[in-house]
């Protein structure tokens, strides 16, 4: 299911310049797939930055121990 953004939401998203700001926008607007995708991209772009662990805990209510697990690309898995 796609979600059409209102002009106001588009404006808010355009003003979000950092990954964390975009994640906050997505989660505030209940765009969970976009929020989770942006969180994974944040981790992949800077694995040393621990912001993403806080986001997983606070925004998604996930157990922080999940952060020690690798992110696997569902469509390009090395194992058939």
């Amino acid at each position: 299911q796609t979600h059409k953004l209102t002009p106001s939401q588009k404006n808010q998203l355009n003003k979000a310049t950092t990954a964390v700001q975009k994640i906050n926008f997505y989660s505030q607007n209940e765009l969970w797939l976009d929020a989770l995708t942006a969180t994974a991209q944040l981790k992949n772009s800077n694995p040393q930055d621990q912001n993403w662990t806080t986001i997983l805990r606070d925004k998604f209510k996930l157990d922080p121990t999940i952060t020690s697990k690798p992110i696997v690309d569902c469509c390009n898995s090395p194992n058939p």
Side-chain angles (χ1 to χ4, degrees), residues 1-19:
Q1 177 182 5
T2 59
H3 178 82
K4 285 200 166 206
L5 298 178
T6 66
S8 174
Q9 288 172 319
K10 287 179 186 178
N11 188 38
Q12 289 174 356
L13 182 57
N14 288 336
K15 288 181 181 178
T17 57
T18 69

Side-chain angles (χ1 to χ4, degrees), residues 13 18-20 22-23 26 32-49 51-53 55-56 60 70-73:
L13 182 57
T18 69
V20 173
K22 290 177 183 180
I23 293 164
Y26 294 138
W32 300 114
L33 180 57
D34 293 322
L36 191 56
T37 299
T39 303
Q41 290 170 341
L42 176 64
K43 179 198 186 286
N44 286 336
S45 68
N46 190 358
Q48 310 313 324
D49 185 347
N51 271 334
W52 74 281
T53 61
I55 293 167
L56 285 177
F60 298 102
I71 295 178
V72 177
D73 184 339

Side-chain angles (χ1 to χ4, degrees), residues 63-75:
D63 183 339
T65 59
I66 197 171
T67 61
S68 65
K69 309 293 183 204
I71 295 178
V72 177
D73 184 339
C74 69
C75 303

